Amino acid sequence: MQIVVVGSSHVRRLGTFIYNRQALHNFNLMNCEVKCFGIGGGKVSNSDHVQTILSFIEKNRPEHVIVHIGGNDLDILGASEDTTEELGLRLILLSQTLTTRFEIKSVTICQLLPRQSTRVIALNVYNDLVIKTNRFLKSQIKDQPHCRYWKITGLKNSDRNNYVDGVHFNYDVGMPKYFRNIRGSIIQAMK
């Protein structure tokens, strides 16, 4: 069984984390092959980023896809509650494209994560938009065939021990927790 995990820099860093730890290769799972592909600064609103992800999926032809992207879409000037719905709809459209165009059996969309630092908008505004986007996604995905919402647990935004820069996980504490969450989403997709 072929599974791909696609997204932004979190996924790219996860791939590096696994690659550098032989014991974690393939998420330590049997009966499947898992590949990670992440784009640093990846945005669902960037058509080049989406096309790059779609090309990777077309090349690998997985049965299941785990998607973790969208945080960079919120850290922009003028981001508002409308941005959260637009982002949610773009992610749902991406899942629909995957299941119809590539006959993917299931798509898992991972919740967006809060940050400890932002580049463009105020941190409290960003984290509020994350909460609203996740709420919107969770409510809308339940009506989508072959799509599920995945809540990432154990990574509290207030726990500075998880992060290297306020956005990305460090390899000591945060990344192992993130790894377990994505592994859990893969196991759920395989059922």
Side-chain angles (χ1 to χ4, degrees):
M1 178 179 302
Q2 181 88 337
I3 300 170
V4 298
V5 181
V6 296
S8 58
S9 56
H10 284 298
V11 176
R12 187 189 71 210
R13 289 169 174 256
L14 177 63
T16 302
F17 177 76
I18 293 167
Y19 181 80
N20 290 326
R21 287 157 183 79
Q22 188 61 31
L24 302 181
H25 176 72
N26 211 49
F27 285 83
N28 202 19
L29 296 170
M30 305 290 280
N31 303 323
C32 70
E33 180 183 1
V34 183
K35 294 182 180 179
C36 292
F37 179 74
I39 299 170
K43 293 181 179 181
V44 183
S45 60
N46 183 315
S47 59
D48 289 340
H49 293 173
V50 172
Q51 188 54 50
T52 301
I53 288 170
L54 292 175
S55 295
F56 179 80
I57 290 168
E58 183 174 33
K59 177 183 173 189
N60 288 282
R61 292 292 183 178
E63 293 177 61
H64 305 282
V65 176
I66 313 298
V67 177
H68 194 205
I69 192 169
N72 296 314
D73 292 274
L74 296 177
D75 191 7
I76 59 171
L77 286 176
S80 67
E81 194 160 333
D82 290 342
T83 310
T84 67
E85 287 189 18
E86 182 181 329
L87 173 56
L89 291 172
R90 285 179 186 270
L91 286 165
I92 289 168
L93 178 61
L94 176 60
S95 76
Q96 291 169 343
T97 300
L98 294 173
T99 56
T100 57
R101 185 168 158 191
F102 300 115
E103 299 176 356
I104 304 297
K105 289 183 180 177
S106 73
V107 176
T108 301
I109 298 177
C110 297
Q111 82 173 93
L112 301 182
L113 297 169
R115 294 181 175 178
Q116 291 184 334
S117 67
T118 52
R119 293 185 182 110
V120 179
I121 65 172
L123 181 62
N124 64 325
V125 172
Y126 174 86
N127 287 333
D128 185 52
L129 293 174
V130 165
I131 291 166
K132 289 176 180 172
T133 303
N134 288 335
R135 197 174 295 143
F136 178 82
L137 276 172
K138 189 174 182 180
S139 72
Q140 297 299 308
I141 287 176
K142 67 182 178 191
D143 298 327
Q144 298 297 315
H146 314 294
C147 188
R148 74 174 47 91
Y149 175 81
W150 189 260
K151 181 171 173 37
I152 296 178
T153 61
L155 286 162
K156 293 188 178 15
N157 187 38
S158 59
D159 188 354
R160 296 195 178 276
N161 293 329
N162 290 324
Y163 298 91
V164 67
D165 60 4
V167 175
H168 301 101
F169 303 121
N170 61 39
Y171 281 3
D172 299 327
V173 180
M175 190 57 78
K177 292 177 184 178
Y178 183 61
F179 169 87
R180 286 190 296 274
N181 274 277
I182 299 301
R183 185 177 187 274
S185 72
I186 292 167
I187 291 169
Q188 185 65 38
M190 293 168 53
K191 291 183 178 180

